[in-house]
Amino acid sequence: AIPSEKYNFFISKNLKDLFVLTEDVKKVMDWLKASKAKLVEEVVEQIGEEHRELAEKREEIKEVVFETFADLELDSGTVTILQDQVADFIDDIGKKKVPQLVLAKLTRQSHSVADHSVNVANIAVYMAMLLGHGHQFVLENIYMGSILHDYAKAKIPEDILKNTGNQKYNQAIQDHPKKAGQMIAKIEGINKQIITIVEQHHEQHNGKGYPKGLAGDDIYELSKIVTMANVFDNILVENINKSEKQRNRAAIKFFEYDKGKQFDPEIIEKIIDGLKLAYGGYTKAPSKKEKIELPEDEVFSVDDDDEKDS
């Protein structure tokens, strides 16, 4: 219900509670209820009425993400609630045989850290399933790693985040995967796989990522998946003011042009048709020879020599 910029500001300041005048309580609660309903409807419009329950669960997970991120330090009780919600969500997907495309579309583009975290989680699970992963434990790890990947970034002071490009900003960005891993490792019940995903989500196939500059097979496979989902959602959000078709195809174009820089080319080869099917406006996956034609003024252009980390 709160605008993205203010939402992220609250998290950076560890602001967890808002107080209102007693006479305004009903008005505020009605506003919150209506706002949440509107958010659910936006997602239902994408995935269909038959999957409304998933849209509602997405919002419930998002609320606990706020609780988790707004704490001064990670609270084991809140993290446990989040893990239980994730386990229930993944279990539902398996038992109810939710189509993979529904997961890909179970997103809502906004600049809030909670929307981004949940988007990455759903996109990453979709990608994982395209790659043949279907085990509950694996999908839960991917989901939790995705949810927590930007925990330390959300804790970077606002004055540093606003001054992009200076040394303090660059160092804070470079350090956030490692710092998040250290914070998460203190919580009982968070396994090594989740910590590794968080620590490696900015590593690149060509070794030019951070914080360790890992390359190729030295990067954990599940981390590679979350990295791709993170970049994909970032491109969608960067193009939020463009049409859905423009932003989706800009993201697909980025992946097609990567050529082994950020992403493992073997993995890209296996998921690219799935991305086109979910986001490219195709009714069936195009053949390997078929190209997606994009306008010359595409909003997210990529040069072959561009090593920029999205």
Side-chain angles (χ1 to χ4, degrees):
I2 299 169
S4 298
E5 185 178 351
K6 186 67 70 175
Y7 184 101
N8 294 338
F9 175 75
F10 287 165
I11 286 179
S12 72
K13 293 292 187 180
N14 308 119
L15 181 63
K16 199 168 182 177
D17 298 299
L18 297 176
F19 294 86
V20 297
L21 295 174
T22 304
E23 58 265 32
D24 290 336
V25 169
K26 186 180 185 306
K27 180 164 55 176
V28 171
M29 294 307 294
D30 288 345
W31 168 67
L32 286 171
K33 184 178 178 181
S35 298
K36 182 176 178 179
K38 182 180 177 182
L39 297 178
V40 169
E41 290 303 325
E42 287 180 16
V43 178
V44 168
E45 191 173 330
Q46 297 180 74
I47 64 175
E49 183 62 39
E50 66 272 28
H51 301 296
R52 174 176 290 275
E53 186 180 353
L54 288 180
E56 291 171 346
K57 285 192 174 185
R58 181 191 183 279
E59 285 305 307
E60 290 170 4
I61 290 174
K62 205 175 80 176
E63 288 176 4
V64 181
V65 170
F66 181 84
E67 292 283 327
T68 304
F69 279 51
D71 278 324
L72 184 61
E73 295 181 355
L74 277 172
D75 178 83
S76 59
T78 309
V79 173
T80 298
I81 292 170
L82 183 59
Q83 283 184 297
D84 289 343
Q85 282 188 316
V86 168
D88 179 61
F89 181 80
I90 297 298
D91 188 50
D92 257 11
I93 291 169
K95 285 182 178 177
K96 296 182 179 178
K97 300 190 183 334
V98 174
Q100 293 179 8
L101 283 177
V102 171
L103 286 172
K105 295 177 181 296
L106 197 60
T107 59
R108 178 182 175 273
Q109 260 57 64
S110 91
H111 291 282
S112 85
V113 67
D115 271 315
H116 173 62
S117 299
V118 178
N119 286 354
V120 172
N122 288 320
I123 295 169
V125 168
Y126 173 65
M127 289 179 172
M129 294 174 81
L130 290 176
L131 294 170
H133 293 293
H135 194 282
Q136 171 98 5
F137 182 70
V138 172
L139 298 182
E140 284 181 29
N141 286 340
I142 290 171
Y143 211 99
M144 281 297 296
S146 299
I147 289 288
L148 297 171
H149 79 278
D150 267 350
Y151 178 79
K153 184 178 178 180
K155 295 299 185 181
I156 298 174
E158 187 193 27
D159 59 328
I160 293 178
L161 277 180
K162 280 187 173 180
N163 294 312
T164 59
N166 66 26
Q167 186 176 354
K168 281 187 177 182
Y169 172 86
N170 291 336
Q171 193 62 55
I173 293 298
Q174 292 274 330
D175 289 346
H176 87 264
K178 181 180 177 181
K179 284 189 175 180
Q182 292 171 341
M183 294 172 180
I184 293 164
K186 296 176 182 178
I187 301 298
E188 186 177 349
I190 297 289
N191 60 50
K192 179 62 178 174
Q193 291 90 333
I194 294 172
I195 297 168
T196 302
I197 288 171
V198 171
E199 289 177 336
Q200 295 183 4
H201 76 274
H202 276 296
E203 300 291 355
Q204 297 182 13
H205 185 73
N206 60 7
K208 295 187 177 182
Y210 56 88
K212 292 185 177 181
L214 301 177
D217 291 339
D218 289 335
I219 304 171
Y220 180 40
E221 183 186 359
L222 301 190
S223 298
K224 294 179 181 181
I225 295 171
V226 173
T227 296
M228 292 189 298
N230 182 42
V231 170
F232 198 86
D233 190 61
N234 280 338
I235 297 172
L236 295 179
V237 173
E238 284 169 9
N239 293 288
I240 196 169
N241 294 324
K242 303 298 179 180
S243 71
E244 182 181 359
K245 182 177 180 181
Q246 280 184 305
R247 60 177 181 259
N248 287 352
R249 293 201 169 192
I252 291 171
K253 177 181 177 182
F254 186 91
F255 274 61
E256 287 191 310
Y257 283 19
D258 184 72
K259 303 185 191 316
K261 291 190 214 173
Q262 291 195 46
F263 315 124
D264 186 330
E266 289 187 14
I267 293 181
I268 288 290
E269 181 71 19
K270 293 176 181 177
I271 71 165
I272 197 70
D273 276 357
L275 292 177
K276 290 176 181 178
L277 187 59
Y279 302 98
Y282 291 85
T283 55
K284 63 178 182 178
S287 67
K288 294 283 193 271
K289 294 181 181 178
E290 185 177 348
K291 291 183 179 179
I292 295 180
E293 295 299 329
L294 291 156
E296 292 298 322
D297 62 346
E298 186 56 73
V299 288
F300 194 93
S301 59
V302 184
D303 296 324
D304 286 339
D305 295 328
D306 187 7
E307 301 292 348
K308 178 185 174 185
D309 183 311
S310 292

